[in-house]
Amino acid sequence: MKRAFVDIIKSKVPILAWLPDYKRSDLQGDISAGVTVGIMLIPQGMAYAMLAGLPPIHGLYAATIPLILYAVFGTSRQLAVGPVAMVSLLTAAGIAGLDLNSPEQYLFYAIALAFLVGAIQFSMGLFKLGFIVNFLSHPVINGFTSAAAIIIGLSQVKHLFQIELPRSEHVQDITLSIFQNIGDIHWISFLMGALAIVILKFGKKIHRNFPAPLFVVFLGICTVWMLDLTTAGVKVVGDVPSGFPSVIVPNLDLSTIKSLLPIAFTISLVGFAESFAIAKTIQSKHKNYRLNANQELFALGMANFGAAFFQGYAVTGGFSRTAVNNQAGAKTNLSSMISATLVILTLLFFTGFFYNLPSSILAAVVIVAVSGLIDINEPLHLWKKDRVDFVMLVATFVITLTLGIEVGIISGMVLSLVVIIYRASRPHIAQLGRVPGSNVFRNINRFENLDVKEDLMIVRIDGPIYFANVEFIKEKLDKWMLERSTKVNMIIFNMESVTNIDSTGAHELNEWINNWRNIGTDVCMTSIKGPVRDVLNRWAILECIGADHVFLDDVTAVSVFDQSIDASTIEKYTPYAIQSNLGKV
């Protein structure tokens, strides 16, 4: 009893499972990864906060307690949680439409949104609803992510060019505004941002561990300070409050919840999908621990609670920082705690250093970070391999670009469900023929020279028979019967691939059997699985078809049809006659 209780606690608080057995040999990798990601996180956190429409300091707040909470409750040992581009854009998109009057009110809604995201993810983890994210298929996520990355990149042009652009998540509006205001470009800011993009993009070629984000931040600050570029109109971050954030309790009323709930659900699902996808990829390379989807939801919920109570905004696991964390040698979640500690030290002692940081540098950090999310190869691959998934990807991509982030992800989920329903309503059905000289039966459309009798139709249905597909199945069978040169005297249903039959399917089967027999076409069944036979018994289908018309295999059924077995001995070939020896099949 005590051991079971301890196991339950460890499953809910994974740090209790790995910390007591922590190896000193892992420490060097964790410190190296923690410092590397922490250095990367400082400029990214500030940049992503600006993307979310918040002062840069709140990006640093979101990179402290949330990281520690995930390290305590998360099951991935390399996942780097914190502010990310996608969630930042979703935060801005969700709050911008509320027509708020002041920066303080905007911050209140951002904090409230983080709390709602935490509550949704925490609840989903508690009630084991991690499977819901499966409705976001890979093509949908790919199309949505690529489109969102383009929107994010274009949204940063206003900081890169230092021009006025309306807050929008529609690519056509952003593009039109850029062309209308391109004459107002501030060339010094643009050149600084362009140089930063080049360094960020190609800095790794200097050395694998070159801290490019920190370097461009340092270079930008020094350039502005030494050349006094603020007098030339270069916009900088300005005063960044120092010290650790005070604890606040989000004060949510019903109207706030109603306003934020749609975007909170979107962030919860997209954030978890992004986080779990990268966590699975990294875990597959280590294989010394197991991921738990529901515990990951629980951990991300706790991380977002931490963001809400410490003046941050919604967080999740990020692709780029997780990859860096793994490459830098992270072995456990201690690396995330070290990253959080580095950010906390920056908040306490070094925020004054960022006064002269140009906004165009932070824009460059965001642009380079999201450029890797645009996947060109996947749609080309799907075009060759799966046209339906290709259409789903392109549709999600176009809808997200033109109609916005929320509409895009919801449309993608609906498309995924439509494709699932479409495929489920059209199960694979095969006509079978005997391989000459054997007792093996195969699909007549895939194998040549099979023995097929015109007055005998052997049918295999690969999937359940239920309300969504009975019409399709019946139409297919009627079409095949009409194509035969002579009347079909017997239909043999091979049921080995039928996994379930619902009430509609049972009712239709009964109708089909009676109607076919009324026109002189007999029906029998073979290879029925035990659970399916239970359903057929409950709905009296076996009684309708007759015990002497149910066989263990197609060979016996065909032999009876050919009358090569004497009718008096048929009974011994039915499941009922032999189940005392074989049990239920």
Side-chain angles (χ1 to χ4, degrees):
M1 179 73 76
K2 183 179 178 181
R3 177 62 181 268
F5 177 75
V6 170
D7 289 343
I8 291 172
I9 294 297
K10 285 183 177 180
S11 68
K12 296 299 180 186
V13 189
I15 193 173
L16 298 178
W18 61 263
L19 189 58
D21 299 324
Y22 189 82
K23 300 174 183 177
R24 290 185 61 183
S25 58
D26 293 340
L27 186 59
Q28 182 178 352
D30 282 339
I31 291 175
S32 172
V35 171
T36 302
V37 172
I39 289 171
M40 186 179 179
L41 186 56
I42 292 166
Q44 278 195 352
M46 299 175 74
Y48 292 153
M50 288 178 59
L51 176 59
L54 295 164
I57 190 65
H58 294 282
L60 296 182
Y61 292 161
T64 55
I65 298 301
L67 277 69
I68 296 171
L69 286 172
Y70 178 82
V72 172
F73 295 103
T75 57
S76 172
R77 299 187 185 179
Q78 285 80 32
L79 186 68
V81 170
V84 299
M86 185 76 72
V87 171
S88 300
L89 181 66
L90 287 169
T91 298
I95 301 176
L98 300 179
D99 194 24
L100 306 178
N101 300 320
S102 66
E104 292 77 16
Q105 196 176 12
Y106 190 99
L107 175 60
F108 164 78
Y109 274 91
I111 291 171
L113 180 59
F115 183 85
L116 281 177
V117 170
I120 292 168
Q121 291 180 330
F122 182 90
S123 301
M124 288 175 67
L126 202 63
F127 292 103
K128 302 186 184 303
L129 299 177
F131 69 90
I132 290 177
V133 79
N134 293 333
F135 291 110
L136 286 169
S137 68
H138 180 71
V140 164
I141 293 175
N142 189 282
F144 171 77
T145 302
S146 296
I150 292 172
I151 295 171
I152 292 168
L154 288 174
S155 73
Q156 294 304 290
V157 169
K158 66 178 179 181
H159 299 299
L160 188 66
F161 289 178
Q162 203 168 302
I163 58 177
E164 290 298 321
L165 294 178
R167 189 187 295 274
S168 175
E169 53 177 303
H170 301 156
V171 70
Q172 64 272 24
D173 296 339
I174 300 173
T175 305
L176 180 62
S177 297
I178 290 172
F179 279 110
Q180 289 174 341
N181 294 280
I182 195 70
D184 299 330
I185 185 172
H186 190 271
W187 285 103
I188 298 177
S189 297
F190 169 69
L191 290 173
M192 292 180 69
L195 178 61
I197 289 173
V198 172
I199 295 172
L200 289 165
K201 200 72 177 172
F202 301 103
K204 292 295 180 185
K205 293 189 176 181
I206 298 173
H207 191 277
R208 188 166 59 93
N209 295 322
F210 177 64
L214 194 65
F215 177 78
V216 297
V217 166
F218 178 78
L219 183 64
I221 291 170
C222 291
T223 303
V224 170
W225 175 67
M226 288 189 295
L227 300 179
D228 194 20
L229 293 180
T230 53
T231 58
V234 173
K235 287 186 178 180
V236 295
V237 169
D239 288 317
V240 179
S242 62
F244 198 70
S246 57
V247 179
I248 62 168
V249 179
N251 184 20
L252 296 176
D253 55 33
L254 188 59
S255 63
T256 303
I257 294 173
K258 287 173 65 177
S259 300
L260 295 176
L261 206 54
I263 194 65
F265 270 110
T266 303
I267 291 174
S268 299
L269 292 175
V270 173
F272 174 61
E274 178 178 347
S275 177
F276 196 64
I278 186 63
K280 279 200 303 183
T281 301
I282 299 298
Q283 184 270 339
S284 67
K285 298 177 181 179
H286 291 270
K287 299 179 181 177
N288 60 339
Y289 63 89
R290 295 181 64 184
L291 283 178
N292 183 310
N294 294 311
Q295 182 64 26
E296 284 296 291
L297 274 168
F298 183 86
L300 289 173
M302 293 298 293
N304 279 296
F305 281 145
F309 283 109
F310 288 89
Q311 300 185 46
Y313 69 101
V315 298
T316 194
F319 283 96
S320 59
R321 289 195 304 272
T322 300
V324 170
N325 196 37
N326 182 59
Q327 290 170 1
K331 303 298 181 184
T332 71
N333 283 331
L334 182 63
S335 63
S336 291
M337 294 182 172
I338 293 170
S339 297
T341 302
L342 193 61
V343 176
I344 291 170
L345 290 173
T346 301
L347 284 169
L348 293 176
F349 303 111
F350 303 114
T351 52
F353 177 77
F354 296 102
Y355 181 90
N356 287 310
L357 176 59
S359 297
S360 61
I361 296 291
L362 292 179
V365 171
V366 174
I367 289 169
V368 172
V370 301
S371 64
L373 300 178
I374 302 173
D375 190 345
I376 299 174
N377 294 325
E378 184 64 14
L380 296 176
H381 180 72
L382 289 177
W383 173 257
K384 297 175 183 177
K385 304 291 184 181
D386 191 327
R387 294 291 174 88
V388 173
D389 279 359
F390 171 81
V391 170
M392 197 157 48
L393 185 152
V394 171
T396 306
F397 177 81
V398 172
I399 292 170
T400 303
L401 275 182
T402 56
L403 300 181
I405 300 289
E406 287 181 77
V407 176
I409 195 63
I410 292 170
S411 300
M413 291 185 71
V414 171
L415 279 172
S416 295
L417 288 172
V418 167
V419 169
I420 290 171
I421 293 169
Y422 175 79
R423 287 173 171 166
S425 67
R426 301 172 67 85
H428 178 258
I429 308 174
Q431 290 188 74
L432 305 182
R434 190 199 293 259
V435 176
S438 76
N439 290 329
V440 177
F441 290 80
R442 291 290 183 262
N443 185 344
I444 64 173
N445 290 325
R446 289 182 174 270
F447 294 83
E448 297 179 352
N449 303 318
L450 298 179
D451 288 340
V452 179
K453 300 178 184 298
E454 285 297 307
D455 59 344
L456 171 67
M457 191 165 75
I458 308 172
V459 178
R460 188 188 71 222
I461 301 169
D462 297 331
I465 302 174
Y466 69 123
F467 69 94
N469 64 20
V470 286
E471 285 300 318
F472 173 79
I473 294 171
K474 185 60 165 60
E475 288 174 6
K476 181 77 78 172
L477 296 177
D478 289 343
K479 176 175 176 289
W480 285 346
M481 291 177 72
L482 289 173
E483 290 173 349
R484 294 294 176 109
S485 58
T486 62
K487 178 189 170 187
V488 175
N489 292 320
M490 171 71 81
I491 297 174
I492 298 175
F493 274 110
N494 180 306
M495 306 288 280
E496 65 183 341
S497 299
V498 176
T499 55
N500 186 42
I501 301 175
D502 73 351
S503 59
T504 304
H507 174 78
E508 291 297 318
L509 267 176
N510 193 55
E511 287 288 317
W512 299 348
I513 293 166
N514 289 328
N515 290 340
W516 283 327
R517 284 180 172 170
N518 285 337
I519 62 171
T521 300
D522 207 354
V523 182
C524 66
M525 292 183 180
T526 69
S527 306
I528 308 173
K529 287 183 170 69
V532 174
R533 194 171 67 242
D534 293 339
V535 174
L536 296 176
N537 265 323
R538 279 200 302 272
W539 291 96
I541 304 296
L542 293 181
E543 182 181 337
C544 171
I545 202 169
D548 58 345
H549 282 63
V550 179
F551 304 96
L552 284 174
D553 52 50
D554 297 334
V555 176
T556 309
V558 171
S559 297
V560 170
F561 175 77
D562 290 340
Q563 296 182 343
S564 58
I565 297 178
D566 188 83
S568 63
T569 64
I570 287 176
E571 184 179 321
K572 72 177 183 179
Y573 292 96
T574 68
Y576 304 104
I578 65 170
Q579 68 181 17
S580 59
N581 295 323
L582 294 182
K584 290 188 176 181
V585 294

